Amino acid sequence: MDNLLSAWLEFQRGKRAKRETQKFEFNLEENLFRLHEDLVRKKFKLASYEPFSISDPKPRRIHKACVRDRVFHQAAFRKLSEFWNKRFLINSYSCQPKKGAHKAIEKLDSYLKKESSNNWKTVWVLKCDIRRFFDSVDHKILLELAKRGIEDVRTIDLINRIIESFQVVTGKGIPLGNVTSQLFANIYLHELDRFVKHKMKVRFYVRYCDDFVIADKNREQLQTYVPILKEFLSKKLLLTLHPDKITFRKYRQGVDFLGYVLFPHHRVLRPRTAKRILKKLQHPNQGGLPSYLGILKHCNGHKLEKKILELSKSWKQDSFELD
């Protein structure tokens, strides 16, 4: 019950104004006790997902669980994360405490500076993306990986129920939108991390979800990695690299990773992202101003910040004239 209550408190942050959250909270104690009882008596069943589409900027299909199930997912995530986060390699940066996209970028930047001897030597970066990763995760493989080191039969059964609660095609796929899916993605690709670091002996490697980069002074060496990675992913994880997203780039030409472009002496926001922000801010009701300014703190974005602040001033002026 303590874990379920903590899971609820984490889940409801930023969602209390939503009707479905308020409805659950109206009978919070009863709902949590019922969920706890269903889990103890092994009667718990996950409900169906509600699908909807977003653009961020590319189209994505999200599958949202009901509030009760999302509280359960949060509770499961809390406990499974305690077990798994200690096992992940330092090269994995998505959905873990004290990590994240900005930490991944900082690590890659430090690797590039080290490998280039502070830009005295040419460094190449191989960037890869796994094709339709979330839709391609194999249920049997995921279950075998997720239950490693876990002896409790009830926990394994719940993991299996979460995995089997969704599929794109028979036996494949995990839903975008579940907090447990973020953890499962790391568990699945932990095998890739181990292979790259322990088998291939790659020194400079960073992965964030299904995007990963490898840095080396030798482009030919990086080119030899591609077929090795393809074979491992295909045979061991039933995944494929996106053929259009395998790129080789010199550090001094700019390395595009997680929304930023890294150069030896500075870092800028990806041009497409900057254009998208300015386009959205043409309409004041779009909001997002604080988050956009926050993004710019992690790069050299003074000019873009100036444009954004000028737009915000024009909103206030328009609002004043209307009043």
Side-chain angles (χ1 to χ4, degrees):
M1 277 302 300
D2 288 343
N3 186 38
L4 289 178
L5 180 58
S6 297
W8 159 255
L9 293 173
E10 289 178 14
F11 162 77
Q12 55 85 37
R13 287 176 192 157
K15 304 182 186 73
R16 298 193 70 178
K18 294 186 177 181
R19 186 175 179 180
E20 57 183 352
T21 307
Q22 292 174 347
K23 187 176 179 181
F24 189 89
E25 188 174 21
F26 187 76
N27 293 305
L28 180 61
E29 187 174 320
E30 181 183 343
N31 286 327
L32 290 181
F33 272 111
R34 189 182 301 151
L35 174 56
H36 181 262
E37 186 177 353
D38 287 346
L39 288 165
V40 170
R41 295 187 178 185
K42 302 180 184 178
K43 291 182 177 181
F44 177 75
K45 291 182 180 179
L46 289 153
S48 58
Y49 293 88
E50 177 188 340
F52 62 95
S53 299
I54 63 168
S55 295
D56 69 337
K58 63 182 181 180
R60 293 183 186 274
R61 192 69 169 165
I62 307 296
H63 289 82
K64 186 176 75 170
C66 64
V67 172
R68 181 202 66 151
D69 288 1
R70 280 186 281 170
V71 173
F72 162 71
H73 283 294
Q74 190 70 52
F77 176 82
R78 284 169 52 80
K79 289 300 178 182
L80 292 173
S81 293
E82 290 177 5
F83 177 82
W84 271 102
N85 284 343
K86 295 179 288 187
R87 289 160 173 77
F88 294 140
L89 302 188
I90 60 170
N91 311 82
S92 167
Y93 279 85
S94 61
C95 307
Q96 296 172 63
K98 298 181 181 179
K99 288 193 173 183
H102 296 304
K103 291 289 184 181
I105 293 162
E106 289 171 10
K107 176 54 71 174
L108 175 59
D109 205 19
S110 69
Y111 279 163
L112 293 171
K113 284 179 169 56
K114 185 175 182 179
E115 182 70 342
S116 67
S117 300
N118 285 325
N119 204 33
W120 279 96
K121 299 174 183 177
T122 298
V123 173
W124 289 86
V125 175
L126 165 64
K127 181 182 173 185
C128 299
D129 180 281
I130 296 171
R131 189 171 195 169
R132 295 179 62 85
F133 170 68
F134 281 87
D135 290 349
S136 304
V137 170
D138 184 86
H139 288 184
K140 288 183 180 179
I141 295 173
L142 176 57
L143 178 61
E144 288 303 311
L145 296 174
K147 71 181 187 181
R148 280 183 181 173
I150 297 175
E151 297 179 357
D152 184 70
V153 177
R154 293 176 301 173
T155 302
I156 294 171
D157 176 63
L158 285 173
I159 292 172
N160 190 42
R161 290 190 194 191
I162 297 171
I163 294 171
E164 291 187 343
S165 69
F166 176 86
Q167 58 183 12
V168 176
V169 296
T170 304
K172 283 185 179 289
I174 53 177
L176 275 169
N178 273 1
V179 66
T180 46
S181 292
Q182 300 169 3
L183 177 62
F184 288 158
N186 276 336
I187 292 171
Y188 207 81
L189 292 176
H190 177 58
E191 297 306 297
L192 172 63
D193 300 339
R194 293 175 62 206
F195 179 75
V196 171
K197 291 299 295 180
H198 300 160
K199 298 293 183 181
M200 294 175 64
K201 306 294 183 182
V202 170
R203 288 184 66 200
F204 303 116
Y205 164 76
V206 177
R207 179 181 64 79
Y208 185 88
C209 197
D210 58 335
D211 292 322
F212 62 93
V213 290
I214 297 174
D216 199 287
K217 289 190 285 287
N218 191 327
R219 174 173 176 150
E220 287 70 30
Q221 179 67 60
L222 290 178
Q223 288 174 320
T224 65
Y225 290 157
V226 175
I228 296 171
L229 290 166
K230 284 182 176 179
E231 183 180 17
F232 172 80
L233 289 168
S234 175
K235 288 186 176 180
K236 298 296 183 181
L237 299 176
L238 304 183
L239 300 172
T240 57
L241 290 179
H242 197 301
D244 299 329
K245 296 183 179 180
I246 301 171
T247 61
F248 297 89
R249 189 86 173 168
K250 286 181 182 177
Y251 181 26
R252 64 171 176 264
Q253 292 175 325
V255 178
D256 189 333
F257 187 54
L258 302 179
Y260 296 91
V261 183
L262 282 66
F263 293 93
H265 302 295
H266 67 289
R267 183 188 311 163
V268 298
L269 199 64
R270 181 185 291 158
R272 290 199 309 273
T273 305
K275 287 179 182 178
R276 192 169 71 251
I277 288 173
L278 290 173
K279 185 177 179 180
K280 284 187 175 182
L281 289 176
Q282 296 297 325
H283 306 283
N285 60 345
Q286 290 289 327
L289 179 62
S291 63
Y292 295 144
L293 293 175
I295 288 170
L296 294 175
K297 289 181 180 179
H298 299 274
C299 67
N300 301 84
H302 177 70
K303 290 182 179 178
L304 181 57
E305 182 180 357
K306 188 177 179 181
K307 288 181 181 178
I308 289 173
L309 292 174
E310 285 173 357
L311 278 172
S312 68
K313 286 179 182 178
S314 69
W315 301 342
K316 292 175 183 177
Q317 181 64 32
D318 292 343
S319 176
F320 175 77
E321 289 174 358
L322 285 170
D323 291 343

